[in-house]
Amino acid sequence: VQLQASGGGLVQAGGSLRLSCAASGRTQTGYVVGWFRQAPGQEREFVAAVSWSGARTIYADSAKGRFTISVDNVKNTVTLQMMSLTPEDTAVYYCTADTNTEWVTTGRGVYWGQGTQVTVSS
């Protein structure tokens, strides 16, 4: 499984961004895809995850009500729509995948994409 994250950029506080994680390989069966973020000097933090079927989503408290994770099975892409962004959301965002949901949500997923930088200005 190969993951390619994109969509980061610079946005003002209160703005929105859409991150994409393009997946190739055997992701269609039983995989869970998640997003993590890491701010400078901080540990990597779970943001959200979704089953490849789209039936189950999991959000960190910091993401609930502002972020939406979804799957496009045709494009083999997982999207993280982020709204009402604050400077505290500034970080490098990574996507990850595994067949084990717990591993994905705790950062132990086998597959990782490269990060995409999100910067929110005040």
Side-chain angles (χ1 to χ4, degrees):
V1 176
Q2 294 81 43
L3 304 174
Q4 181 77 30
S6 62
L10 174 64
V11 64
Q12 290 187 332
S16 302
L17 274 178
R18 179 188 295 249
L19 304 183
S20 294
C21 179
S24 59
R26 300 184 60 183
T27 55
Q28 288 82 355
T29 304
Y31 273 82
V32 176
V33 179
W35 286 94
F36 273 72
R37 65 186 183 186
Q38 187 167 22
Q42 298 187 21
E43 294 186 355
R44 194 169 291 188
E45 173 191 24
F46 170 72
V47 177
V50 61
S51 59
W52 194 258
S53 67
R56 184 184 182 192
T57 57
I58 305 170
Y59 293 95
D61 288 343
S62 60
K64 289 178 181 177
R66 298 189 303 128
F67 296 0
T68 302
I69 190 170
S70 60
V71 178
D72 185 330
N73 298 110
V74 175
K75 297 181 179 179
N76 279 358
T77 299
V78 172
T79 297
L80 184 68
Q81 178 68 50
M82 304 186 295
M83 303 176 64
S84 302
L85 289 164
T86 72
E88 288 68 37
D89 295 313
T90 295
V92 178
Y93 284 70
Y94 300 88
C95 57
T96 178
D98 202 288
T99 56
N100 187 304
T101 301
E102 182 179 356
W103 288 4
V104 170
T105 59
T106 57
R108 293 178 289 166
V110 172
Y111 304 103
W112 289 83
Q114 89 295 355
T116 185
Q117 176 71 48
V118 171
T119 303
V120 184
S121 62
S122 58

